[in-house]
Amino acid sequence: MEAFAIYLLKASGLLAVFWLMYVCLLNKTTFYKQNRFYLLGGLLISALLPLVVYKKIVLVEAINTLGKNIDHVATYTTQGHDYTQQFLVILAMLYLMGALFFFGRFCIQLYSLYHFMKKETHTKEEGFMHVSTSKDISPFSFFKFIVYNPKKYTEEELTTILRHEKIHAWQLHTIDILFAHLYTVVFWFSPFSWLYKKAIGENLEYLTDKETTTSQSQTKNYQYLLLKQISGIPYSVINPFYYSSTSLTAFGYTFTFGKRSGQVKKRIVMLQKQKTNKTNLLRYTLIIPFLAGFMMLFSFKTETKLALNTEVSQNSNLPEYVITKDFSAEDLKQLQAKVKEDGGSLTYSNIKRTNTGEISNIQVTYETKKGGKATGTSSNKGKGIENLYFGIGEGGGVYIIVGSAYTKNQRGVIIAATDQHTMDKKPLIVLNGKIMPKDFDTKSIQPDAIESINVLKDKNASDKYDVQGKNGVIEITLKNKTQYNPYKVTGASEAGTRINFKGEKPLILVDGKTMPADFDLNSISPDTIKQVSVLKDENAIKQYGEKGKDGVILITTKKE
């Protein structure tokens, strides 16, 4: 969805450049044929060029070392995730409604035209299908069909009109008009698409007017016919599809194809205009620098990939692996195979990517053959993730670290670890304004429950949290302040979610002692709790009989 929105914006921007170039440099020239191809080319290029991407892959060898300091803390954020998604969904629905509306209107207009021509008299002459009607309409053409009321014009006027419409039909101007209309269906929200469609129609008028009048006398007579239209005579000399005031009725509604106001005056002015010097053809080349600039900004991409081979650290022979934002699905499979080859296990899930294919969210679980296991999530809304490192620490446990670099004196945020040596270097965790214990496990929080994560390092961390912030600080804010249970819970369906019971009041036991019915869980300080176990349904009744029918909460406190 985001990728399509970005495509629409890029294409609209390109079309705006083509339109501005036409208005400023080309629409006053007499290069009508060249302008036709320029305008059609602008539609095609603006629609296709944003889809063109050239990738250059640069392989960089990863350095695997186990440094001891957290001198660098990487940004790790999911701020406004839900609100952004809701906003994008609303925008997508509005866009789809607009596109469906204009597409439906376009289809109805085509049907009304077909229905109208089907009922009239058809005569084939010189490869063109003449459609005679008694209705009071202006002449127009649609592909090889030329529609007119023969009783409204003199023989001389009709000859001029038919010559004009045959040029439209022979040069297939209807294709230009239909293409422009389909473009406005997709890019209906852009004012430039509508201005561009109008410019295409006007240029086709100028082109056909010029080819219809081959002599000075014909030009004067032709201008007279155009002036008769301005003075109120209810017919138009030329009516390409949608480009005069022909009205047709379908499903009880009247559709007017185009407008005459102002257009006739412009056509008379362009008929009298002197032929533009051919040196001005160089103006068309001025679009090239804009297209080159667009491609440099959006079409050429350098992708950096780290080698998947695991090397020995300068300080140990422990394995370490890395996942970067540029990893493809195939890269992840190769890394998974490498970890398995080394005796470990790697699983990954919840992968999300940006419109350019970079990983913006991934959850990783790393497990060793000795039973060490760690799970961590790296997320960077709308952008590629920071490098995610995982492996076996110096203390023998496993770790997962998010950071933009991993060198001897530089390390990112430790988001999961099982050995004490690594845990001693973990940053301070602050959840909803409260400092969490050192053994707090961030993976106990469901990612969807997080509103924002703010990372502090160095002086900023020390100024706010004094010595506790020496290893960096991760401030986590939940969407629902009451949703997270900081205790270690067993027996619940998910850690980090509220415990719900079918009954009114569960049985509560603290260190094996049954609490009264009005006991308040909030009266126990989280810092004194070691573990919370939950029993439900049959398990609760089996152990505690009728007392456990509404569920049982077993609380074990830390011993002094």
Side-chain angles (χ1 to χ4, degrees):
M1 185 166 59
E2 292 179 29
F4 184 62
I6 292 174
Y7 162 76
L8 291 176
L9 292 176
K10 288 180 180 178
S12 299
L14 264 181
L15 191 74
V17 172
F18 273 94
W19 181 80
L20 290 171
M21 180 75 71
Y22 174 77
V23 171
C24 296
L25 300 175
L26 302 173
N27 75 325
K28 298 300 181 182
T29 67
T30 59
F31 302 135
Y32 306 127
K33 287 185 179 179
Q34 291 84 349
N35 284 346
R36 180 191 181 190
F37 293 113
Y38 170 87
L39 292 169
L40 283 178
L43 290 180
L44 287 170
I45 292 173
S46 64
L48 299 178
L49 191 58
L51 301 175
V52 177
V53 176
Y54 297 97
K55 281 188 178 181
K56 178 182 179 182
I57 299 177
V58 178
L59 295 177
V60 177
E61 188 174 346
I63 301 175
N64 296 310
T65 60
L66 293 174
K68 298 184 179 181
N69 299 315
I70 303 178
D71 296 327
H72 177 80
V73 179
T75 301
Y76 170 66
T77 178
T78 59
Q79 287 187 351
H81 177 78
D82 282 356
Y83 296 111
T84 302
Q85 288 298 322
Q86 292 175 7
F87 180 69
L88 289 175
V89 170
I90 292 173
L91 284 182
M93 292 179 63
L94 290 174
Y95 168 78
L96 186 60
M97 290 171 60
L100 289 175
F101 170 78
F102 287 106
F103 181 71
R105 191 182 73 163
F106 178 62
C107 291
I108 292 174
Q109 289 175 330
L110 285 176
Y111 173 79
S112 64
L113 179 65
Y114 166 78
H115 185 70
F116 165 75
M117 291 194 299
K118 184 179 180 180
K119 296 188 302 182
E120 304 301 331
T121 304
H122 294 66
T123 305
K124 191 171 184 179
E125 296 180 13
E126 300 177 352
F128 299 98
M129 187 64 70
H130 290 245
V131 181
S132 301
T133 180
S134 59
K135 295 184 181 295
D136 186 18
I137 65 169
S138 299
F140 67 90
S141 61
F142 185 74
F143 287 106
K144 295 294 184 179
F145 292 86
I146 300 175
V147 183
Y148 58 95
N149 184 344
K151 296 180 180 180
K152 291 181 58 176
Y153 314 105
T154 65
E155 184 177 347
E156 183 180 355
E157 290 173 341
L158 190 58
T159 300
T160 303
I161 290 171
L162 290 178
R163 182 166 65 248
H164 187 105
E165 296 301 337
K166 287 178 180 178
I167 293 173
H168 275 297
W170 182 69
Q171 295 186 1
L172 297 177
H173 291 174
T174 304
I175 293 178
D176 302 44
I177 302 303
L178 290 177
F179 190 19
H181 274 270
L182 289 174
Y183 197 96
T184 56
V185 168
V186 180
F187 298 91
W188 61 267
F189 59 90
S190 171
F192 292 103
S193 66
W194 300 95
L195 293 171
Y196 206 89
K197 184 183 74 170
K198 180 182 177 183
I200 288 177
E202 288 180 345
N203 183 70
L204 292 178
E205 303 278 13
Y206 303 152
L207 173 61
T208 310
D209 289 344
K210 196 66 177 178
E211 295 194 10
T212 302
T213 57
T214 57
S215 66
Q216 188 66 24
S217 60
Q218 286 180 332
T219 301
K220 290 182 179 180
N221 292 334
Y222 195 77
Q223 291 173 358
Y224 174 71
L225 290 177
L226 293 177
L227 288 172
K228 284 176 67 176
Q229 179 178 347
I230 293 179
S231 63
I233 301 299
Y235 65 83
S236 172
V237 174
I238 170 62
N239 182 21
F241 195 48
Y242 292 173
Y243 274 88
S244 78
S245 57
T246 294
S247 297
L248 298 175
T249 301
F251 306 111
Y253 295 93
T254 300
F255 298 92
T256 301
F257 299 153
K259 296 181 180 180
R260 289 180 296 190
S261 57
Q263 189 181 50
V264 174
K265 294 180 181 179
K266 291 181 181 179
R267 291 164 62 184
I268 292 175
V269 171
M270 296 306 290
L271 277 172
Q272 296 174 341
K273 193 174 182 63
Q274 292 294 323
K275 191 173 182 180
T276 305
N277 192 300
K278 289 187 177 181
T279 56
N280 289 301
L281 288 170
L282 293 173
R283 296 182 183 182
Y284 292 100
T285 62
L286 296 177
I287 194 64
I288 296 176
F290 291 98
L291 297 180
F294 179 90
M295 294 189 70
M296 292 295 293
L297 284 174
F298 302 110
S299 298
F300 293 99
K301 176 184 176 184
T302 299
E303 182 176 308
T304 303
K305 288 191 176 183
L306 279 73
L308 297 178
N309 293 330
T310 303
E311 295 186 359
V312 178
S313 164
Q314 294 178 1
N315 297 327
S316 70
N317 60 354
L318 301 174
E320 180 181 89
Y321 311 90
V322 59
I323 295 176
T324 74
K325 63 183 179 181
D326 297 314
F327 266 39
S328 64
E330 183 61 30
D331 293 332
L332 290 172
K333 289 181 180 178
Q334 290 181 25
L335 179 59
Q336 194 174 44
K338 177 61 180 174
V339 173
K340 184 177 181 181
E341 180 183 331
D342 293 341
S345 171
L346 170 66
T347 57
Y348 47 86
S349 59
N350 298 330
I351 297 177
K352 297 179 181 178
R353 296 183 181 272
T354 66
N355 65 298
T356 58
E358 294 179 345
I359 297 176
S360 62
N361 186 90
I362 186 171
Q363 181 174 325
V364 173
T365 298
Y366 172 57
E367 188 172 0
T368 66
K369 59 184 177 181
K370 293 184 178 181
K373 184 177 180 180
T375 299
T377 298
S378 179
S379 180
N380 196 4
K381 178 62 181 172
K383 300 179 182 178
I385 61 169
E386 300 288 345
N387 291 351
L388 190 149
Y389 298 86
F390 60 94
I392 300 176
E394 293 178 354
V398 296
Y399 64 85
I400 299 178
I401 295 176
V402 173
S404 61
Y406 195 76
T407 60
K408 184 175 182 180
N409 296 315
Q410 192 170 2
R411 180 177 294 177
V413 177
I414 301 172
I415 60 174
T418 61
D419 62 280
Q420 188 62 41
H421 172 81
T422 306
M423 288 172 62
D424 289 341
K425 303 301 180 181
K426 289 182 66 176
L428 180 69
I429 306 296
V430 180
L431 178 64
N432 289 336
K434 182 170 183 175
I435 296 175
M436 294 289 100
K438 288 186 177 181
D439 60 351
F440 178 76
D441 189 359
T442 55
K443 71 174 180 289
S444 65
I445 306 175
Q446 297 298 316
D448 292 339
I450 297 175
E451 179 179 338
S452 65
I453 298 179
N454 184 38
V455 179
L456 303 176
K457 67 172 185 176
D458 303 331
K459 189 174 184 299
N460 292 332
S462 299
D463 287 347
K464 190 170 183 179
Y465 294 94
D466 199 30
V467 69
Q468 290 180 296
K470 65 179 181 178
N471 291 328
V473 180
I474 300 179
E475 297 178 326
I476 304 174
T477 303
L478 302 182
K479 297 172 186 174
N480 185 348
K481 302 297 189 299
T482 62
Q483 185 177 12
Y484 180 71
N485 183 347
Y487 314 139
K488 183 179 181 182
V489 179
T490 60
S493 59
E494 291 184 6
T497 60
R498 179 178 292 184
I499 305 171
N500 296 315
F501 294 89
K502 296 179 180 178
E504 295 181 357
K505 189 73 175 179
L507 178 66
I508 301 175
L509 288 86
V510 178
D511 292 331
K513 183 178 178 181
T514 302
M515 295 292 103
D518 59 351
F519 180 75
D520 185 5
L521 277 174
N522 294 323
S523 63
I524 304 178
S525 172
D527 294 333
T528 65
I529 295 177
K530 180 180 181 181
Q531 180 174 303
V532 177
S533 299
V534 177
L535 301 178
K536 295 183 180 181
D537 304 328
E538 293 181 2
N539 290 331
I541 296 175
K542 183 178 180 180
Q543 295 189 39
Y544 293 92
E546 188 66 18
K547 293 180 181 180
K549 66 177 182 178
D550 293 329
V552 181
I553 299 178
L554 305 175
I555 301 176
T556 304
T557 60
K558 298 176 181 177
K559 305 302 181 183
E560 296 293 339

